[in-house]
Amino acid sequence: MTSEVTVVVMTRNRWPDLRRSLPRHPAPVILVDNCSSDGTAALVRRHFPDIEVVELAANAGAAARNVGVRRARTPYVAFADDDSWWAPGSLESAAALFRSHPRLGLVAGRVLVGEAETPDPLCTSMATSPLGTDADLPGPSVLGFLACGAVVRRDAFLEADGFDTVVFFMGEEDRLALDLASRGWGLSYVDSLVACHHPSPARDATARRALDARNKLLTAVMRRPWSVVMGEVTRLYSSDRAGRIALRHALPRLPHALARRRRLPARVEAARRLLETNEEPWG
């Protein structure tokens, strides 16, 4: 049977990870290379000739996935990173969910991290979402997800403009989730869909916290009330070094964020505020 799901993989200078993960993806697969300098594209073409490779002339960050989605010829698209893959049967199950739930725009699966297969903490939060489960959706409603553990309805993703270049990378899921919900699409967490993620342990914790905080602020500028934006600024300024780095790095991107500013519908803003009551504070 022809697959209804295309796997879109975004990468940059991660050939060793791809060599392990690409054989685990069911076809069709589109790999979007973010201007790698390690010969990734040529190596993938040589070792995995059945995979469609798209080479970008510049690093587009998370928006590179948009290129893959536009090229996909299936109704649904699953995302994977160079260090992640989907468990057997999960994508077929996701396609069945989309067919039986016409309003479903995105389904978030359970992400198991590392050799120990520890569930990502965000999955626990999504499984117990206070937004409840709508009668026409297959699982708890969510307003966030992990890109490497998500499958989208292609038309819904493109309607919501996909990932944007304002945040560039990390936390890029938030604005997309808000815009899908604003257009009436449902987003659900389904625990039986499983993705495996084996990230490198060598990561700069402060830099990652700063990047995450910067992008949350930029997303707030694009979609949230000014009171929320100013609350984020105050919290970051009065927190730690990572918070102040986030503020400094957000400044050059503010004009781009302001140009894309559009307030959320009241129902989506209310849902986002409800979720915030369960989130851990910064710092």
Side-chain angles (χ1 to χ4, degrees):
M1 184 178 70
T2 302
S3 175
E4 297 176 274
V5 184
T6 297
V7 179
V8 169
V9 182
M10 178 183 71
T11 191
R12 176 175 166 81
N13 293 332
R14 299 287 292 277
W15 165 245
D17 290 318
L18 288 170
R19 191 162 195 167
R20 179 175 65 162
S21 63
L22 288 180
R24 300 172 183 262
H25 298 311
V29 180
I30 299 175
L31 181 132
V32 185
D33 181 66
N34 255 330
C35 197
S36 291
S37 59
D38 66 350
T40 289
L43 288 165
V44 172
R45 288 191 178 103
R46 183 189 312 160
H47 293 277
F48 303 98
D50 293 335
I51 290 179
E52 181 178 351
V53 178
V54 183
E55 293 183 76
L56 301 186
N59 183 2
R65 298 190 186 102
N66 301 351
V67 178
V69 175
R70 286 193 292 267
R71 284 185 172 240
R73 294 171 289 278
T74 56
Y76 318 118
V77 175
F79 296 118
D81 292 339
D82 33 37
D83 54 8
S84 77
W85 55 89
W86 288 87
S90 288
L91 298 187
E92 291 85 352
S93 296
L97 290 175
F98 282 112
R99 289 196 304 270
S100 59
H101 299 85
R103 192 169 69 86
L104 183 64
L106 180 148
V107 61
R110 180 161 46 106
V111 178
L112 303 180
V113 182
E115 298 293 343
E117 297 190 338
T118 304
D120 190 286
L122 181 59
C123 296
T124 302
S125 299
M126 291 191 289
T128 58
S129 170
L131 300 180
T133 302
D134 292 347
D136 63 342
L137 294 177
S141 292
V142 296
L143 276 179
F145 59 96
L146 294 166
C148 69
V151 188
V152 297
R153 189 182 299 272
R154 181 176 179 274
D155 289 347
F157 178 90
L158 295 175
E159 180 186 318
D161 296 327
F163 297 109
D164 64 68
T165 57
V166 175
V167 299
F168 193 71
F169 178 72
M170 194 169 184
E172 67 270 13
E173 299 92 344
D174 290 351
R175 196 277 307 157
L176 175 58
L178 293 170
D179 282 3
L180 284 168
S182 295
R183 287 164 171 76
W185 291 105
L187 297 84
S188 287
Y189 174 75
V190 176
D191 193 72
S192 60
L193 306 180
V194 177
C196 301
H197 186 205
H198 288 214
S200 167
R203 300 191 173 197
D204 185 328
T206 299
R208 288 181 66 81
R209 289 184 69 238
L211 183 59
D212 182 59
R214 183 201 75 173
N215 291 343
K216 284 181 178 175
L217 174 59
L218 291 170
T219 299
V221 171
M222 286 190 284
R223 295 292 181 267
R224 306 294 304 280
W226 286 118
S227 59
V228 173
V229 175
M230 294 311 299
E232 287 292 317
V233 170
T234 301
R235 277 191 292 275
L236 292 176
Y237 183 78
S238 61
S239 63
D240 58 7
R241 178 170 171 266
R244 291 186 287 277
I245 291 173
L247 286 174
R248 187 169 69 251
H249 289 180
L251 287 175
R253 295 179 177 270
L254 278 180
H256 193 182
L258 289 167
R260 299 200 59 180
R261 181 170 172 78
R262 184 175 67 247
R263 285 284 302 276
L264 298 172
R267 60 180 176 78
V268 180
E269 175 62 30
R272 188 68 192 90
R273 287 178 182 268
L274 177 59
L275 289 173
E276 285 172 345
T277 63
N278 291 352
E279 292 178 351
E280 294 184 4
W282 170 267

